[in-house]
Amino acid sequence: MRIISRKALRVFWEEHPDARQSLQAWYADIKHANWKSPSDIKKVYRNTSFVANNRVVFNIKGNKYRVIVAVQYKYRLVFIRFAGTHQEYDQVDAATV
């Protein structure tokens, strides 16, 4: 998959250094994935949540952090829409972020 934009992850892990390794591993996994549908994601990431507007919520580092992405399966694109703590996640609408 093509990921847009890694910068959001980098900015986040600069504020939360303990998230860096987990986010880098997640990024590498996603980069090599070939998702054609939500079921392809669910096969690998069982704790992933799917919300409206093709948004997918990933738990990072034992659910301490969350990443929300918008996926366009047809074009193999993943747009990083949000990276934050669990508390910050509670303040956003995952379907519209």
Side-chain angles (χ1 to χ4, degrees), residues 70-86:
V71 181
Q72 290 188 357
Y73 299 97
K74 181 178 179 180
Y75 301 107
R76 298 189 67 238
L77 291 173
V78 174
F79 296 91
I80 298 173
R81 308 299 297 163
F82 171 85
T85 65
H86 201 3

Side-chain angles (χ1 to χ4, degrees), residues 2 4-5 8 16 32-33 36-37 43 47 55 60 67-68 83 88 91-92 94:
R2 203 168 74 180
I4 303 169
S5 139
H16 303 274
H32 293 101
K36 293 183 170 65
S37 70
K43 287 176 189 174
N47 293 326
R55 300 294 200 269
I60 305 294
V67 173
I68 302 172
E88 292 167 338
Q91 304 300 314
V92 300

Side-chain angles (χ1 to χ4, degrees), residues 10-72:
R10 193 175 319 119
V11 167
F12 182 75
W13 77 51
E14 285 174 359
E15 292 180 30
H16 303 274
D18 65 320
R20 183 177 186 154
Q21 185 177 13
S22 297
L23 288 170
Q24 286 177 328
W26 175 85
Y27 181 90
D29 285 348
I30 305 309
K31 187 175 179 181
H32 293 101
N34 186 21
W35 300 330
K36 293 183 170 65
S37 70
S39 64
D40 292 336
I41 298 171
K42 203 66 163 170
K43 287 176 189 174
V44 178
Y45 296 96
R46 299 214 181 268
N47 293 326
T48 300
S49 300
F50 298 91
V51 293
N53 299 322
N54 287 324
R55 300 294 200 269
V56 184
V57 181
F58 292 91
N59 297 322
I60 305 294
K61 194 168 173 62
N63 204 19
K64 184 174 181 181
Y65 303 115
R66 297 275 178 101
V67 173
I68 302 172
V69 300
V71 181
Q72 290 188 357

